Amino acid sequence: LIRVCGPIIQCQLLETALLNILNFQSLIATKAARVCIAAENDAVIEFGLRRAQGVDGGLSAARAAFIGGCAGTSNLQAGQQYEIPVSGTQAHSWIMFFEKESEAFQIYAKALPNNCVFLVDTYDSINGLRRAIKVAKQLQKDGHEIIGVRLDSGDRASLSIETRRMLDKAGFPNAKIVCSGDLDEFTIAEMKRRGAKIDIWGVGTRLTTGQPDAALGGVYKLGAVRAPHEQWQYRIKLSGESAKTSCPGLLQVRRFHQLDHRFIADAIYEIDHVVSEPCVIVDLGNETHTEIPARTEYSDLLVPIFRYGELIYRVPGIEASRGYARKQLRRAPPAILRLNKSRAYKVGLERSLHELRSRLIARAREQRD
Amino acid sequence: LIRVCGPIIQCQLLETALLNILNFQSLIATKAARVCIAAENDAVIEFGLRRAQGVDGGLSAARAAFIGGCAGTSNLQAGQQYEIPVSGTQAHSWIMFFEKESEAFQIYAKALPNNCVFLVDTYDSINGLRRAIKVAKQLQKDGHEIIGVRLDSGDRASLSIETRRMLDKAGFPNAKIVCSGDLDEFTIAEMKRRGAKIDIWGVGTRLTTGQPDAALGGVYKLGAVRAPHEQWQYRIKLSGESAKTSCPGLLQVRRFHQLDHRFIADAIYEIDHVVSEPCVIVDLGNETHTEIPARTEYSDLLVPIFRYGELIYRVPGIEASRGYARKQLRRAPPAILRLNKSRAYKVGLERSLHELRSRLIARAREQRD
């Protein structure tokens, strides 16, 4: 929730820009968090620029993915512009440029002896791995260690197990296995379930575009208007679907939490209406009431950012935003973070706001011409 | 298909930019064409900036949607930058700003008497329509005609039929009915089937982001390399899936057509290999052969754009690109343009290229270390 308060024309000018930025970047940060949850403690690198929706779609996706938990991006411009760690490995075209795969590895190793992640699947992953190990041994004699190898196609759960075995046996227990190619939170979770030995995940298209949800449906609604020196008049938009009817008023979000800081539920309330104690939260879908016991700990989430046109908020660096997101995710009920059969987090209207909304719905329906 | 030929480093630098631009804009132009086919001869306006993937995602989507067949966009920057017609109607916030809906219509009509498309669903579409008609009659007395009304929610197929009836009865047979809200080619086709009386469709999120296909999976592959003054050496990347194994060589596309210009099939061929006559096209999925009768008309699709760093192609204006797309779509077999149970267009490798590819696959598999 964001609250914008100001002269109507200025507020209207902000609408599309705010929606565009928030809808898309929230979508990608959420997707990144899901992918990182599936990857457990492994590093996830955002790899999707070539399939992103526009150049700046790729750029802002890299930023949002980092905040959502990714460890880096292959997008160099995002790295430069937002100070996100960049990383990447060899491309297939590097391998294909040479007549033989082993030659491609050797020449790369000569040029960048301390930065070798050999891409082994151009012709056949296991044969490629054998050739990579041969070059890695030569490098080792010269005093360098490979970083690892990358598997980009085929049955990577099985391949990674065999790759780990071969690398260990050849004396490279610290070599990392990078996995990429058509990944998302579900394929990663499935590979984990099958015992895949992957250290780093490169996730592209479905992370950078949010597939299968290419858009988050955030809206920007007028909640109240007032003439100079007068009272606020609340406003509402009706809809056949209850959840699509807008919320009137100047809104704030109260997040209740347990003593161990775990989140319980969020109540949206109107700032000029008294929040009942105990607080009753009304679900917008099924109208059920949830009572939060009196004296439950809470925090109000909205903080002022601009006031009278001045930025009054210390904008955190991207690392701090990422740390904040990680901390908040740790406080969320585990059941809402599950990839399958997840429970919805409890969010609803505080009772006074729900009553205000009901009165306004009735009044709007009775409106005379 | 695009062919890039040049020093390897330069070709590599182009990879990500070309893929990003072509994958995304082809996706959206295709989606727009599908939406326009569903809308039959009605105008479709692109409405999706607030849900687009980044600001420039919205901008390039507006451009691609116009080329794919849309009549305009609500994105003012795209209008200015690409000379795409812009249009839009009232926002809900305009209506909600006033205490009464009729007041919102009246004040709008006073300010823009020749540009009224009243948004009628803020409280109740039929009541809103009644109020809009009242204001339209007043406008008419003053010598102005409304352009129309917009339905943004509810059962718009039924609502549009009732709206048409009420507008006609009130003496506004030329008033247009604009429909918007969660539309795509399938919802439009379904509303058409139910007899909806819509003149203009405003399509947002699912057009601008391509949902449910948020990305087109185009790739950029090395087909051949050569040292100065030497012969081309063909290159291939293998994959467990036949269709994902790359195509070697310097490629061109030959599109065969009937005497009435209707497309028959496309053959991808290698420019230094003789195209057999009759041409045999090998399907990459199931390896079936299709023979194109000798002396069938064709055109080769790739034309030079840059040569030795110079632009040698006259870049068409956006209207010309749009006209070209429309003309090409009219020449496509109708069965491939159906929204449901569509047939795939026949595309495959010309036989000599298929043989070259098979030889290279065998050789890559036998590669010695």
Side-chain angles (χ1 to χ4, degrees):
Chain A
L1 197 81
I2 285 198
R3 190 165 83 220
V4 180
C5 191
I8 182 104
I9 301 287
Q10 292 179 26
C11 292
Q12 283 302 121
L13 287 175
L14 287 175
E15 171 167 0
T16 306
L18 272 180
L19 285 178
N20 180 290
I21 293 166
L22 288 168
N23 276 330
F24 178 53
Q25 297 200 33
S26 302
L27 175 77
I28 302 306
T30 305
K31 184 74 170 180
R34 291 170 62 85
V35 170
C36 291
I37 286 168
E40 296 165 12
N41 291 316
D42 308 338
V44 175
I45 313 290
E46 186 272 319
F47 262 16
L49 177 57
R50 69 197 179 127
R51 303 274 170 79
Q53 299 208 346
V55 173
D56 141 292
L59 206 55
S60 45
R63 179 179 180 277
F66 183 70
I67 290 174
C70 286
T73 178
S74 64
N75 185 329
L76 291 175
Q77 195 187 344
Q80 188 181 48
Q81 200 158 322
Y82 302 124
E83 300 185 33
I84 302 170
V86 292
S87 63
T89 77
Q90 298 178 313
H92 287 118
S93 58
W94 174 272
I95 309 293
M96 293 161 76
F97 181 70
F98 300 93
E99 222 180 318
K100 292 181 155 207
E101 191 177 33
S102 46
E103 193 189 353
F105 293 157
Q106 282 155 8
I107 293 179
Y108 192 94
K110 210 166 164 181
L112 296 164
N114 298 312
N115 197 14
C116 289
V117 179
F118 294 127
L119 173 61
V120 298
D121 80 320
T122 307
Y123 306 110
D124 174 88
S125 295
I126 296 298
N127 284 332
L129 177 62
R130 263 190 219 113
R131 293 173 191 132
I133 287 175
K134 212 178 263 186
V135 176
K137 284 184 173 166
Q138 188 56 52
L139 264 176
Q140 210 171 35
K141 276 188 203 146
D142 302 340
H144 305 284
E145 286 290 326
I146 60 162
I147 296 175
V149 297
R150 174 156 72 107
L151 302 169
D152 188 51
S153 59
D155 174 358
R156 282 148 292 170
S158 312
L159 283 171
S160 69
I161 294 169
E162 178 62 8
T163 299
R164 184 73 273 157
R165 200 191 58 75
M166 287 169 67
L167 285 170
D168 289 352
K169 198 178 149 208
F172 299 100
N174 297 320
K176 305 284 187 208
I177 301 176
V178 182
C179 176
S180 57
D182 290 334
L183 298 176
D184 64 11
E185 65 271 45
F186 298 105
T187 50
I188 291 174
E190 171 62 13
M191 284 164 76
K192 284 268 180 194
R193 202 191 54 73
R194 291 180 53 207
K197 302 282 189 191
I198 309 284
D199 303 288
I200 297 167
W201 304 84
V203 186
T205 309
R206 294 190 219 162
L207 167 58
T208 308
T209 64
Q211 238 171 354
D213 298 306
L216 184 72
V219 294
Y220 187 85
K221 289 291 168 212
L222 187 73
V225 294
R226 70 171 173 194
H229 313 296
E230 288 189 17
Q231 293 295 307
W232 285 108
Q233 294 187 317
Y234 301 118
R235 291 290 192 257
I236 199 162
K237 180 201 170 296
L238 303 187
S239 166
E241 294 164 69
S242 164
K244 281 195 172 178
T245 294
S246 70
C247 282
L250 284 73
L251 306 177
Q252 171 62 281
V253 181
R254 182 155 295 180
R255 178 162 292 174
F256 292 95
H257 42 82
Q258 300 169 356
L259 288 177
D260 65 358
H261 302 296
R262 185 78 79 182
F263 304 145
I264 300 168
D266 289 4
I268 300 173
Y269 69 94
E270 209 288 324
I271 60 170
D272 291 327
H273 286 70
V274 176
V275 175
S276 50
E277 170 101 18
C279 177
V280 173
I281 302 177
V282 185
D283 187 286
L284 277 184
N286 56 23
E287 303 269 320
T288 54
H289 288 49
T290 304
E291 190 175 299
I292 304 293
R295 285 179 298 281
T296 300
E297 301 268 334
Y298 66 79
S299 48
D300 281 350
L301 301 186
L302 270 61
V303 294
I305 294 184
F306 287 93
R307 191 163 269 161
Y308 299 114
E310 293 283 334
L311 178 67
I312 56 165
Y313 175 75
R314 224 178 119 255
V315 181
I318 194 169
E319 281 284 359
S321 295
R322 183 169 183 264
Y324 181 78
R326 191 171 43 228
K327 215 174 97 188
Q328 298 303 95
L329 281 168
R330 259 193 251 116
R331 296 174 61 185
I336 71 164
L337 299 179
R338 279 196 302 251
L339 296 179
N340 292 304
K341 297 187 189 162
S342 61
R343 196 165 59 69
Y345 181 62
K346 170 65 72 187
V347 179
L349 302 190
E350 182 276 328
R351 185 163 49 189
S352 315
L353 172 58
H354 186 259
E355 286 165 2
L356 170 67
R357 185 167 176 264
S358 302
R359 283 196 304 278
L360 286 170
I361 291 173
R363 198 199 298 163
R365 287 208 178 116
E366 287 156 14
Q367 182 178 174
R368 300 287 172 85
D369 294 341
Chain B
L1 197 81
I2 285 198
R3 190 166 83 220
V4 180
C5 191
I8 182 104
I9 301 288
Q10 292 179 26
C11 292
Q12 283 302 120
L13 287 175
L14 287 175
E15 172 167 359
T16 305
L18 272 180
L19 284 178
N20 179 289
I21 293 166
L22 288 167
N23 276 330
F24 178 54
Q25 297 201 33
S26 302
L27 174 77
I28 302 306
T30 305
K31 184 74 170 181
R34 291 170 61 85
V35 171
C36 291
I37 287 168
E40 296 166 10
N41 291 316
D42 308 338
V44 175
I45 313 290
E46 186 273 319
F47 262 16
L49 176 57
R50 70 197 178 126
R51 303 273 170 79
Q53 299 207 346
V55 173
D56 140 293
L59 206 55
S60 46
R63 179 180 179 277
F66 183 70
I67 291 174
C70 286
T73 178
S74 64
N75 185 329
L76 291 175
Q77 195 186 344
Q80 187 181 48
Q81 199 158 323
Y82 302 125
E83 300 185 33
I84 302 171
V86 292
S87 63
T89 77
Q90 297 177 313
H92 287 118
S93 58
W94 174 272
I95 309 293
M96 293 161 76
F97 180 69
F98 299 93
E99 221 179 318
K100 293 183 154 204
E101 192 177 32
S102 47
E103 193 189 354
F105 293 156
Q106 281 155 8
I107 293 179
Y108 192 93
K110 209 166 164 181
L112 296 164
N114 298 312
N115 197 14
C116 289
V117 179
F118 294 128
L119 173 61
V120 297
D121 80 320
T122 307
Y123 306 110
D124 174 88
S125 295
I126 296 298
N127 284 333
L129 177 62
R130 262 190 219 114
R131 293 174 191 131
I133 287 174
K134 212 178 261 186
V135 176
K137 284 184 173 167
Q138 188 56 51
L139 265 176
Q140 211 171 35
K141 277 188 202 147
D142 301 340
H144 304 284
E145 286 290 326
I146 60 162
I147 296 175
V149 298
R150 174 156 73 107
L151 302 169
D152 189 51
S153 59
D155 175 358
R156 282 148 293 170
S158 311
L159 283 171
S160 69
I161 294 169
E162 179 62 9
T163 299
R164 184 74 272 157
R165 200 190 59 75
M166 286 170 67
L167 285 170
D168 289 352
K169 199 179 149 207
F172 299 100
N174 297 319
K176 305 284 187 209
I177 301 176
V178 182
C179 177
S180 57
D182 290 334
L183 298 176
D184 65 11
E185 64 271 45
F186 299 106
T187 50
I188 291 175
E190 171 62 13
M191 285 164 76
K192 284 268 180 194
R193 202 190 55 72
R194 291 180 53 207
K197 301 283 189 191
I198 309 284
D199 302 289
I200 297 167
W201 304 85
V203 185
T205 309
R206 294 189 219 162
L207 167 58
T208 307
T209 64
Q211 238 172 353
D213 298 306
L216 184 72
V219 294
Y220 188 85
K221 288 291 167 212
L222 186 73
V225 294
R226 70 170 172 195
H229 313 296
E230 288 188 17
Q231 293 294 307
W232 285 108
Q233 294 187 318
Y234 300 118
R235 291 290 193 257
I236 199 162
K237 180 201 171 295
L238 303 187
S239 166
E241 295 164 67
S242 164
K244 281 194 171 179
T245 294
S246 70
C247 282
L250 284 73
L251 307 177
Q252 171 62 282
V253 181
R254 182 156 294 180
R255 177 162 292 173
F256 292 95
H257 43 82
Q258 300 170 358
L259 288 177
D260 65 358
H261 302 297
R262 186 77 78 183
F263 304 144
I264 300 168
D266 289 4
I268 300 173
Y269 69 93
E270 209 288 324
I271 59 170
D272 292 326
H273 286 71
V274 176
V275 175
S276 50
E277 170 102 18
C279 177
V280 173
I281 302 177
V282 185
D283 186 287
L284 276 183
N286 57 22
E287 303 269 320
T288 55
H289 288 49
T290 303
E291 190 175 298
I292 305 294
R295 286 180 298 281
T296 299
E297 301 268 335
Y298 66 79
S299 48
D300 281 350
L301 301 186
L302 269 61
V303 294
I305 294 183
F306 286 93
R307 191 163 268 161
Y308 300 113
E310 293 283 334
L311 178 67
I312 56 166
Y313 175 75
R314 226 180 117 255
V315 180
I318 194 169
E319 281 284 359
S321 295
R322 183 170 183 263
Y324 180 79
R326 191 171 45 227
K327 216 174 96 188
Q328 298 302 95
L329 281 168
R330 260 193 251 115
R331 295 174 62 185
I336 71 164
L337 299 179
R338 280 196 302 251
L339 296 180
N340 292 305
K341 297 187 189 163
S342 61
R343 196 164 60 68
Y345 182 61
K346 170 64 73 187
V347 180
L349 302 190
E350 182 276 328
R351 185 163 49 189
S352 315
L353 172 59
H354 186 258
E355 285 165 3
L356 169 67
R357 185 167 175 264
S358 302
R359 282 197 303 278
L360 286 170
I361 291 173
R363 198 199 297 163
R365 287 209 178 115
E366 287 157 14
Q367 182 178 173
R368 300 287 173 84
D369 294 342

